[in-house]
Amino acid sequence: MKKLFTLVVLSIFAVSNMFAAEETLWEGNVSISWENPAPAGTVKEWGNPDDNQDISSYCVEGEKLNFYFKADASAEYHAYRFDDWDWNALPGQAQVDFGGEITVTLEINADLATAIAAKGIRIHGHGFSVVKVTKGTIENGSDSVEDLEAAVLWAGEQEIDGWGAKSLVLTTESEGFNVFVEKLKTACNLYFLIENGKSGDFRISGQWGEWNVTALPADGYNHMRALDNDNVVKVTLTEDFVTKAFIEQGGVSFWGNGGFKIKAIGTTKESVLNTTGISATLMNNERVNSEIYDLLGRKVSQPTKGLYIVNGKKVIIR
């Protein structure tokens, strides 16, 4: 009976902790910049214990920490990253580009708790301010960018190298780009399945000739980092970027340097990981004795090159 009572108490505690009200741990206005030397009024990182910014004791498994960021409108780009005090990315964390005011919720798992207990937590990046850090469930929702409904936007194999010499360019003439336009209407997260992505620089922009308007990030450097060691890279696009690159310009370019390959692009992490289950690759002149559908579920009578659904399986037609 005593064991049962203890189990019930622990269960109630776990549930109450899961839905604990939001509590402010720190509040202020710290401007973050990667420039060297740092401009007046900015610092290289948030999380300095000497400035009462040490929140590592709250980073226990099962806790939720909420970070409120505000982009600096005058900065060329805005990006944040969760690191330890040696500037190494915390487990499962990558650089994320964003715009406006966002709230990022960091759910502390066992790996994060262990890493932070050993070497703390820092926020590095450029072009934004940290204005508040809380723990618990956000009462009034979150301004962070939510993942869209799971969808594969593109699948194949494209090497990225030579700052445009080898790139993936999609325009209104390609079926792949039309999938982007139908799915992306507002701020969103894109996930890239990457091969040989140990190092390299990655850029996203509008069509060639207009890239200077929409390049993300503006300085040309989005150093690729795999999430959970599964070679999935996440990039958050602002609504302004989506409008300019996908709608107004009618095209998007994925380019950079490093010789890595893009294998798939999707709206969720799971969607791109699932593309590893593509069952076949068909040449465009091969006969397919089954009904063919695109990734939006529309029947296709004369498929061009791209990813389709045949007999319930993903198939690339080349």
Side-chain angles (χ1 to χ4, degrees):
M1 187 68 181
K2 183 177 180 180
K3 289 183 178 179
L4 179 60
F5 174 76
T6 302
L7 180 61
V8 170
V9 170
L10 290 174
S11 299
I12 293 174
F13 173 78
V15 172
S16 63
N17 186 57
M18 183 184 302
F19 297 101
E22 187 177 17
E23 176 186 341
T24 299
L25 303 179
W26 176 91
E27 193 164 7
N29 193 318
V30 175
S31 182
I32 306 296
S33 173
W34 262 329
E35 291 185 32
N36 192 14
T42 68
V43 295
K44 294 290 186 184
E45 64 181 12
W46 182 94
N48 190 339
D50 293 337
D51 295 323
N52 297 316
Q53 297 166 3
D54 185 7
I55 59 168
S56 56
S57 62
Y58 298 98
C59 296
V60 296
E61 185 175 359
E63 187 63 87
K64 290 183 179 181
L65 298 183
N66 311 297
F67 299 84
Y68 291 74
F69 299 152
K70 183 177 181 180
D72 178 0
S74 64
E76 290 184 341
Y77 71 100
H78 321 95
Y80 70 85
R81 193 178 72 203
F82 292 104
D83 295 343
D84 62 24
W85 62 45
D86 288 332
W87 287 68
N88 298 312
L90 290 172
Q93 302 305 304
Q95 177 179 312
V96 177
D97 300 273
F98 71 100
E101 298 183 20
I102 65 171
T103 304
V104 179
T105 297
L106 192 64
E107 297 187 7
I108 307 299
N109 57 28
D111 289 341
L112 277 172
T114 300
I116 293 171
K119 290 192 174 183
I121 180 172
R122 302 289 187 270
I123 299 172
H124 296 125
H126 182 78
F128 71 100
S129 295
V130 183
V131 296
K132 187 166 67 171
V133 180
T134 68
K135 71 171 187 174
T137 301
I138 298 177
E139 297 177 356
N140 298 320
S142 171
D143 294 328
S144 60
V145 176
E146 299 286 341
D147 284 350
L148 300 177
E149 181 180 351
V152 177
L153 303 177
W154 180 89
E157 184 173 301
Q158 176 60 55
E159 185 177 2
I160 305 297
D161 204 4
W163 295 116
K166 296 179 180 179
S167 59
L168 173 61
V169 181
L170 302 176
T171 67
T172 51
E173 298 176 355
S174 64
E175 180 65 26
F177 177 70
N178 294 331
V179 174
F180 274 83
V181 172
E182 291 190 38
K183 289 292 184 181
L184 307 185
K185 304 291 186 182
T186 184
C188 60
N189 300 313
L190 286 187
Y191 293 81
F192 297 81
L193 183 61
I194 299 295
E195 184 179 283
N196 299 328
K198 298 299 182 182
S199 64
D201 298 307
F202 187 33
R203 270 186 105 154
I204 306 174
S205 69
Q207 288 191 75
W208 297 116
E210 303 289 345
W211 63 267
N212 59 310
V213 178
T214 57
L216 174 68
D219 74 339
Y221 295 94
N222 180 8
H223 297 285
M224 293 172 39
R225 298 177 184 277
L227 299 181
D228 301 328
N229 297 314
D230 56 13
N231 292 328
V232 176
V233 174
K234 174 185 176 183
V235 177
T236 299
L237 303 181
T238 64
E239 183 173 355
D240 183 57
F241 179 89
V242 171
T243 300
K244 289 181 178 178
F246 295 102
I247 299 174
E248 293 180 4
Q249 293 189 31
V252 63
S253 305
F254 305 95
W255 53 295
N257 193 50
F260 58 91
K261 294 179 180 179
I262 300 177
K263 307 282 286 189
I265 307 172
T267 55
T268 66
K269 181 178 179 180
E270 291 73 21
S271 66
V272 294
L273 289 175
N274 288 339
T275 60
T276 57
I278 292 175
S279 59
T281 299
L282 304 177
M283 299 307 295
N284 202 27
N285 59 356
E286 288 186 52
R287 184 178 179 85
V288 180
N289 296 316
S290 302
E291 292 183 338
I292 302 174
Y293 297 87
D294 65 17
L295 297 177
L296 298 177
R298 302 172 301 192
K299 188 174 180 179
V300 179
S301 58
Q302 295 181 328
T304 57
K305 294 180 180 180
L307 181 64
Y308 296 90
I309 305 298
V310 180
N311 291 329
K313 298 180 180 179
K314 301 184 185 77
V315 171
I316 297 176
I317 297 179
R318 297 188 183 280

